[in-house]
Amino acid sequence: MTRPTPATTADLPMRVGVRTRTLADDRLAYCKQIGVDDVFVDHRLPRGDIFTDEGSDDETTITIDEGVVPSVSELVEARERAAEHGLRFMGIQSLNYNVYGKIMLGKAGRDDQLETITELVRNLGEADVPILGYQWNPRGVVPMRTSESTPVRGGAASSEFDIESLDDPYEPVENLEREFTEAELWEHYERFLAEVLPVAEEAGVTMALHPADPPTVEQLGGIPRLFRDVSAFERAMDAVPSDNHGLKLCLGCFSEMPDVAVDEVVRTFGERDDIVFVHFRDVVGTWPSFKETFLDDENSNFDERAVMQTLHDVGFSGVVVPDHVPDVVGDTDWGHRGRAQAVGYLNGLNRCLRSD
């Protein structure tokens, strides 16, 4: 597979970027100041956000929902706003369940959601925004994390997942009209790929799939979790082969999987040229209990330098993004201080390896 590369980034090496919900001038200036040139945007919902991010108003965010798609001119304006600060608007970080849930479960209204996604892909392509990240996880089944205040180094607060803290996590959740089988969810997903990837190819946009978080377990709350292990991603990439489909390779999710060597995962998908961009995140522990931590934590699950080296070895030339960051003293909701620490650490690793 030869992944299409936007002309603006074709000759660039691997580099560090950030995710942000707001494109306010102060946020963009800050991103440039801490040493990044690429941003991915977390879209906003018309009726409230999942993630808190100060400064996220209608004028400085991108709003996406079922039937709500940013116009080409809105996307161009966002790209130009980033460019004014010396930044590249690389893509939409992910899609909310509101935009794909009916497609995933084969419910009434799935065609409306498909139209939302295909219109978004076309508009991104026309606006020269090259990437659409997406996930394929159920909502309202179990929380992604069971605590947001677990202490890590120096008393910083981080997130944690522990299945033992949940009541009956494997039983069908209330108001679930029926249990769903893994076979039917794969059928819905592969149909989705067959419908959306030709649009992405025509538009010149690359789709990037994120793992289930938490991974590993086959089902929670009566709904199968398709993208829980390495073999599931191999199946996803092979189901409808396309140069415009790959992985949002979340290292944190893969490091949450027991008995998985993260650097080997990077090598496997890197040699297939299946990595679109990388979520650089690490945890301590694996399923069924783990906590997120600082990237330079010596007790974390993988060796960040070795993984960065493997990314270089396989020829990855895209963007690595610090995903979640611990809450340090005096930080903001977005995590200005924690994010700067992560960016600085990754930039240091990357530059050292580039000079070898």
Side-chain angles (χ1 to χ4, degrees):
M1 181 181 295
T2 302
R3 186 150 319 285
T5 304
T8 54
T9 62
D11 298 323
L12 295 176
M14 179 169 62
R15 55 213 185 272
V16 180
V18 295
R19 56 185 292 189
T20 176
R21 187 172 301 271
T22 179
L23 293 169
D25 288 335
D26 285 353
R27 175 65 56 78
L28 295 175
Y30 181 81
C31 292
K32 187 67 176 182
Q33 289 166 7
I34 63 174
V36 303
D37 297 317
D38 301 87
V39 294
F40 287 86
V41 173
D42 286 293
H43 75 79
R44 181 173 179 266
L45 291 171
R47 51 187 176 275
D49 292 326
I50 295 176
F51 301 108
T52 304
D53 191 348
E54 60 281 344
S56 297
D57 57 36
D58 290 341
E59 295 182 359
T60 61
T61 56
I62 292 173
T63 301
I64 302 173
D65 200 356
E66 180 181 335
V68 180
V69 179
S71 66
V72 174
S73 61
E74 288 175 303
L75 292 167
V76 168
E77 181 181 353
R79 177 172 57 77
E80 291 177 345
R81 178 186 285 268
E84 289 173 359
H85 293 271
L87 300 169
R88 288 176 291 264
F89 175 16
M90 290 299 294
I92 300 298
Q93 145 71 21
S94 197
L95 290 178
N96 184 268
Y97 179 85
N98 290 25
V99 182
Y100 66 83
K102 295 172 185 175
I103 303 173
M104 183 182 74
L105 298 179
K107 291 185 174 183
R110 61 90 59 193
D111 290 342
D112 293 332
Q113 291 192 336
L114 179 67
E115 177 57 33
T116 294
I117 294 173
T118 53
E119 182 182 353
L120 174 61
V121 168
R122 292 189 184 97
N123 288 0
L124 287 168
E126 193 169 342
D128 293 325
V129 179
I131 295 172
L132 174 59
Y134 74 103
Q135 56 187 9
W136 209 250
N137 299 327
R139 185 181 63 188
V141 181
V142 298
M144 190 176 78
R145 295 292 183 265
T146 54
S147 171
E148 297 291 340
S149 58
T150 297
V152 289
R153 186 176 68 205
S158 195
S159 63
E160 180 179 22
F161 182 86
D162 186 352
I163 196 70
E164 295 298 326
S165 67
L166 300 175
D167 294 330
D168 300 322
Y170 305 108
E171 295 300 315
V173 295
E174 293 183 9
N175 303 320
L176 188 67
E177 58 270 34
R178 64 180 179 86
E179 292 189 52
F180 294 85
T181 68
E182 185 163 326
E184 66 179 312
L185 262 62
W186 271 112
E187 181 180 350
H188 299 327
Y189 178 68
E190 291 174 359
R191 179 186 172 191
F192 165 74
L193 293 183
E195 293 170 321
V196 77
L197 289 181
V199 179
E201 291 168 358
E202 183 178 356
V205 171
T206 301
M207 307 278 291
L209 172 64
H210 189 281
D213 193 3
T216 304
V217 65
E218 293 184 2
Q219 71 87 18
L220 289 171
I223 302 180
R225 302 174 76 80
L226 293 190
F227 300 108
R228 62 182 181 264
D229 55 26
V230 174
S231 63
F233 285 93
E234 292 174 329
R235 176 174 176 176
M237 296 301 101
D238 293 339
V240 181
S242 173
D243 291 347
N244 291 71
H245 190 215
L247 303 184
K248 186 197 324 179
L249 190 69
C250 180
L251 304 181
C253 290
F254 282 102
S255 71
E256 294 161 11
M257 303 175 190
D259 303 318
V260 169
V262 173
D263 57 337
E264 289 305 311
V265 171
V266 171
R267 189 171 301 280
T268 294
F269 291 109
E271 290 177 347
R272 291 170 51 117
D273 196 22
D274 279 338
I275 305 174
V276 181
F277 68 109
V278 177
H279 271 181
F280 222 108
R281 176 169 61 87
D282 204 354
V283 303
V284 176
T286 59
W287 169 268
S289 178
F290 53 85
K291 62 181 178 181
E292 296 182 308
T293 190
F294 292 99
L295 289 177
D296 60 349
D297 187 337
E298 294 182 356
N299 298 313
S300 66
N301 285 1
F302 66 85
D303 182 339
E304 278 74 14
R305 186 187 188 283
V307 168
M308 187 73 84
Q309 180 66 65
T310 304
L311 285 166
H312 278 277
D313 291 346
V314 299
F316 177 68
S317 59
V319 183
V320 301
V321 178
D323 190 14
H324 315 149
V325 295
D327 183 11
V328 301
V329 172
D331 217 338
T332 62
D333 290 334
W334 182 66
H336 283 70
R337 294 183 175 186
R339 215 165 292 276
Q341 189 268 349
V343 166
Y345 180 68
L346 291 177
N347 267 336
L349 283 180
N350 192 32
R351 292 186 183 184
C352 286
L353 293 171
R354 278 166 49 186
S355 64
D356 286 350

